[in-house]
Amino acid sequence: MPGVLDFSNVTKDYGIPWSRRRIRALEGFTLSLERGEIFGFLGRNGAGKTTAIHLALGFMRPTSGAGHLLGKPFGDAASRARIGFLAENVALYHRPARKLLRYYGGLNGMRPQRLQLRSSEVLRQVELELEANRNVARFSRGMQQRIGLAQALINDPELLILDEPTSALDPLARVTMRELLLEANRAGKTVFLSSHLLSEIEMICHRVAILDKGRLVKLGRTEELLISRDRYEVVARGIPTNSFELSAYSLPQVRGLPLDANLAGDGRVQFTIPAAAQRDALQRIWSLGGEVLSVNPVRRTLEEVFVELTNKGSVL
Amino acid sequence: MKPVVLMAANFLREHRWPALLLFAWIALLALAAADLTRRYSAPEDVMFYITQQAIFICVFSAFLAADAIHNDRKSKRILLVLSKAITRSEYLLAPIVGASAAALAYALLFDVCCLWLTDRAHMPSAGILPLALLVMAGSILAAAVSLFFSTFLNPYVAIAATVLLFTAPGSLHLQHHAWSAWLPGFPILIKMIDLKLAPYATISWKTILIAMAQAVIFWGMAAAVFNRKDIAVPVE
């Protein structure tokens, strides 16, 4: 069954003017979006994120491979009536906000009565109803970005494709944008979100894909990506501090353990250990008369995962 | 069709200042040709005005359409427009419709100015309406041709290519061949240059229909080229 947005082994090469050289922006890219999810799309500058989005919208053709947007091949105009798109560095015609929204809605074939209603709704959603009659040319960058989001929402789309939607927003506006996306998702919309702001992706995305040099290096549920299988966090109590340190140094597999240890006021000790040293560390704690309170995989930040993957360049 | 009309209206709005400037130009030159200091206008001045303005309106339409794609791509506004439910051929039809609407307004103003001038110069005015229709047809064709060239050329080069296409047969003295009636733009240009105002005039329906058919063909060719373009790639 086709997903909301499917890429199937898509490769995209760009030609260089006056040269035979070609730059590969995307290589063998395969991805499928599930209906109703918020999907985070990560990658460094030039990783191929925007190229993938532009391919999905039919702005360019893949060099090889194929893809489907809402069940139709990329480039199908009718399927675009059911999506909302916000471009990175949104460029708008210089018109009053409400008229501009009606224009973009009209391009999707919306009727005037519905446009009247929806333009008021989305202006309220992006908190610009008081600026409805002002020309967007006089808007700040952040306000223009919000109008950009409003035009993406005007047709009540099934799928929202957002390319760096929060790049020009201040922290408060980012919170508003985040709430808007969550609200849209609760209303059943699928959200495809490309962003550099890893903390935001971490907060709201159900699944994440990381792209590096045009290749997909990681794809998975956000929670799973953040959990490290290499290191565990152990919380114990009842270990005499001095013996604990001595014992730690005497245990070859957990060498360096006390360096990570964090002594809490109530006598609890918290430390991380390599997965391979788990059994030895626990036995050592018990042999010293200590009590193991919990052993959990270490939760990393998305930033740590991202840096690790994009520096290493491992391939899925 | 509604999205095309919306885009055409937006196109005209984006070009409102140069378009209004041409309106003023047509009216001001009519005043100059009328020579209000004299009781009657000089027929040779009136003929010069009529021929010059007829050609000028066609050239302006070519200018208007040639930078439509380039402007939208350069500003990246094209991305939001083409992310909506419109095809690229519809997108290309908008500047042609917009330029045609502008040409209709110019032709009307031009018609009024010419009637006034011919009246002042005591010249027959029967040929003015047929000429205005030729101006309309020529403008639509010029817009379609320059739009076609602009799908793969810089707008200025596209305008030069359009002018060359319309005028080159004249330089090669091809007007005496019967098949020259099928060359794009050339028969209209010849009719404008060789214009003679007679008491009776007929509308050149054949020339107009051929020009309209050619405009459709050029629009189709423009769509074929533009469909293969990576529109998100920045332009200089």
Side-chain angles (χ1 to χ4, degrees):
Chain A
M1 188 181 154
V4 181
L5 175 61
D6 296 308
F7 293 86
S8 179
N9 202 22
V10 171
T11 295
K12 176 66 186 175
D13 294 337
Y14 289 111
I16 300 172
W18 315 109
S19 163
R20 286 188 178 183
R21 271 190 60 219
R22 297 183 77 75
I23 293 173
R24 181 149 289 183
L26 216 53
E27 187 173 352
F29 181 61
T30 299
L31 182 73
S32 186
L33 241 70
E34 292 162 10
R35 194 171 286 276
E37 70 175 336
I38 304 183
F39 190 91
F41 200 39
L42 297 173
R44 292 195 287 198
N45 288 334
K49 304 187 299 289
T50 301
T51 297
I53 289 173
H54 288 173
L55 285 167
L57 292 164
F59 295 162
M60 48 179 68
R61 289 162 182 242
T63 307
S64 66
H68 290 83
L69 178 67
L70 296 168
K72 302 276 183 187
F74 287 166
D76 178 77
S79 64
R80 290 200 294 267
R82 293 153 60 200
I83 66 146
F85 168 61
L86 172 59
E88 184 183 8
N89 301 323
V90 63
L92 304 162
Y93 290 107
H94 294 172
R95 303 182 72 173
R98 191 186 296 277
K99 283 187 179 170
L100 190 70
L101 291 179
R102 285 188 192 172
Y103 172 66
Y104 285 122
L107 294 186
N108 265 334
M110 291 174 72
R111 293 180 181 282
Q113 295 90 338
R114 181 141 187 267
L115 267 176
Q116 172 95 16
L117 194 74
R118 280 297 293 165
S119 57
S120 296
E121 274 176 19
V122 292
L123 279 167
R124 198 166 44 249
Q125 275 182 300
V126 298
E127 297 176 356
L128 284 173
E129 69 266 48
L130 296 177
E131 311 289 341
N133 298 317
R134 248 180 90 195
N135 193 314
V136 297
R138 298 192 184 94
F139 279 11
S140 68
R141 194 85 200 105
M143 288 163 85
Q144 288 189 356
Q145 197 80 356
R146 280 190 276 160
I147 282 293
L149 180 67
Q151 67 77 33
L153 291 166
I154 188 83
N155 56 332
D156 198 14
E158 289 172 42
L159 168 65
L160 269 171
I161 299 177
L162 310 172
D163 194 359
E164 303 285 351
T166 52
S167 57
L169 301 182
D170 60 52
L172 274 179
R174 274 182 199 161
V175 173
T176 310
M177 176 74 85
R178 196 161 60 225
E179 282 166 1
L180 273 170
L181 296 183
L182 287 169
E183 192 184 311
N185 183 245
R186 279 194 292 272
K189 298 184 199 320
T190 309
V191 181
F192 186 73
L193 174 64
S194 160
S195 178
H196 283 305
L197 293 169
L198 303 173
S199 56
E200 272 182 19
I201 295 266
E202 189 178 330
M203 262 188 269
I204 64 170
C205 290
H206 302 122
R207 282 201 305 152
V208 170
I210 298 176
L211 210 58
D212 188 39
K213 294 171 190 151
R215 306 178 83 185
L216 187 65
V217 291
K218 202 75 185 176
L219 170 68
R221 305 207 75 78
T222 315
E223 279 304 309
E224 287 165 11
L225 281 183
L226 298 180
I227 289 171
S228 167
R229 298 288 168 202
D230 302 334
R231 295 184 72 77
Y232 281 80
E233 186 182 81
V234 179
V235 181
R237 74 173 162 208
I239 313 169
T241 311
N242 48 2
S243 65
F244 166 69
E245 285 181 4
L246 281 172
S247 65
Y249 277 111
S250 65
L251 198 66
Q253 291 93 331
V254 284
R255 195 176 292 281
L257 177 148
L259 300 177
D260 291 344
N262 176 16
L263 286 166
D266 58 357
R268 282 194 301 174
V269 183
Q270 183 181 321
F271 52 90
T272 56
I273 52 165
Q278 204 181 151
R279 177 188 289 264
D280 291 331
L282 297 185
Q283 280 174 349
R284 195 68 200 151
I285 292 164
W286 287 323
S287 71
L288 289 166
E291 182 190 358
V292 177
L293 295 176
S294 66
V295 182
N296 287 309
V298 169
R299 189 187 156 90
R300 299 173 295 177
T301 63
L302 192 54
E303 190 172 80
E304 286 168 335
V305 176
F306 180 77
V307 169
E308 183 190 315
L309 287 168
T310 52
N311 277 342
K312 200 164 67 183
S314 64
V315 178
L316 186 80
Chain B
M1 197 60 194
K2 188 189 153 198
V4 174
V5 174
L6 274 173
M7 284 187 288
N10 190 57
F11 169 79
L12 277 179
R13 195 188 164 279
E14 288 292 305
H15 291 85
R16 61 193 180 281
W17 295 118
L20 287 171
L21 207 65
L22 186 66
F23 264 106
W25 174 257
I26 292 171
L28 283 172
L29 269 167
L31 284 173
D35 193 1
L36 296 173
T37 57
R38 289 160 56 182
R39 192 165 176 190
Y40 303 108
S41 300
E44 54 274 23
D45 288 350
V46 171
M47 282 309 293
F48 177 74
Y49 169 84
I50 292 172
T51 307
Q52 187 212 43
Q53 289 304 298
I55 295 170
F56 198 80
I57 291 169
C58 295
V59 174
F60 184 76
S61 296
F63 265 93
L64 211 56
D67 71 350
I69 301 171
H70 189 263
N71 275 353
D72 267 4
R73 282 186 68 185
K74 197 171 179 183
S75 65
K76 294 192 173 179
R77 287 167 173 168
I78 195 170
L79 299 184
L80 287 194
V81 174
L82 286 182
S83 71
K84 308 299 178 200
I86 53 165
T87 61
R88 293 200 187 183
S89 46
E90 285 174 323
Y91 173 78
L92 289 182
L93 189 55
I96 299 176
V97 171
S100 305
L104 175 66
Y106 291 138
L108 284 173
L109 178 66
F110 176 66
D111 208 31
V112 170
C113 290
C114 290
L115 287 173
W116 177 60
L117 285 172
T118 49
D119 183 51
R120 272 184 61 83
H122 294 292
M123 295 164 75
S125 59
I128 297 300
L129 179 67
L131 179 66
L133 288 174
L134 274 180
V135 167
M136 269 288 296
S139 298
I140 294 168
L141 179 58
V145 172
S146 71
L147 188 78
F148 162 67
F149 282 126
S150 76
T151 55
F152 56 93
L153 294 172
N154 175 282
Y156 296 111
V157 183
I159 292 163
T162 306
V163 171
L164 196 69
L165 185 73
F166 280 31
T167 57
S171 311
L172 300 170
H173 304 290
L174 298 178
Q175 59 267 42
H176 308 298
H177 299 278
W179 48 263
S180 69
W182 296 91
L183 294 171
F186 181 61
I188 293 178
L189 192 67
I190 287 295
K191 282 186 192 302
M192 286 174 179
I193 291 169
D194 293 344
L195 180 72
K196 290 193 177 48
L197 292 177
Y200 302 101
T202 51
I203 296 170
S204 316
W205 289 115
K206 185 187 164 193
T207 308
I208 291 169
L209 287 175
I210 289 172
M212 292 299 91
Q214 286 169 339
V216 172
I217 291 167
F218 274 99
W219 167 60
M221 292 196 315
V225 175
F226 195 56
N227 268 330
R228 309 198 67 80
K229 282 268 170 188
D230 285 359
I231 55 127
V233 176
V235 289
E236 289 306 316

